[in-house]
Amino acid sequence: MSHDSSAPARRSSTALWVVIVIILLPAVVLPLWVPLYDKTDPTLFGFPFFFWFQFALILLSAALTSIAFVLSQRTDRRREGTVR
């Protein structure tokens, strides 16, 4: 019977981990997709697109990683709360 009460928590935990993976996916896929940024135009403050896009990816990846970290901490807290 105790397994029945943890089933909804486990399902929501799995769903949250799927969301975390989806959040982290652009941080992995965009830098690997070279034809997306293999150009010089448009420039921003004299920097070619290749350079400023890479810097933007760094900021985007940091933001997405922070969001994923907070969600994973929340998931771990929920899991620990249901075990006790």
Side-chain angles (χ1 to χ4, degrees), residues 40-61:
T40 56
D41 289 327
T43 60
L44 182 66
F45 304 116
F47 289 101
F49 181 75
F50 174 81
F51 289 112
W52 67 261
F53 185 74
Q54 292 294 315
F55 286 123
L57 281 179
I58 291 169
L59 297 175
L60 176 71
S61 297

Side-chain angles (χ1 to χ4, degrees), residues 2-84:
S2 65
H3 294 290
D4 294 337
S5 64
S6 66
R10 179 172 287 149
R11 231 178 282 136
S12 70
S13 175
T14 303
L16 204 50
W17 282 108
V18 169
V19 169
I20 290 169
V21 168
I22 291 171
I23 288 172
L24 291 175
L25 205 57
V28 174
V29 172
L30 287 177
L32 295 175
W33 190 11
V34 177
L36 176 68
Y37 56 88
D38 186 21
K39 52 189 170 186
T40 56
D41 289 327
T43 60
L44 182 66
F45 304 116
F47 289 101
F49 181 75
F50 174 81
F51 289 112
W52 67 261
F53 185 74
Q54 292 294 315
F55 286 123
L57 281 179
I58 291 169
L59 297 175
L60 176 71
S61 297
L64 292 176
T65 303
S66 298
I67 293 168
F69 176 74
V70 169
L71 287 175
S72 70
Q73 293 297 312
R74 195 174 292 173
T75 304
D76 288 343
R77 277 191 230 123
R78 279 186 188 173
R79 186 181 59 199
E80 288 174 2
T82 58
V83 171
R84 290 182 185 176

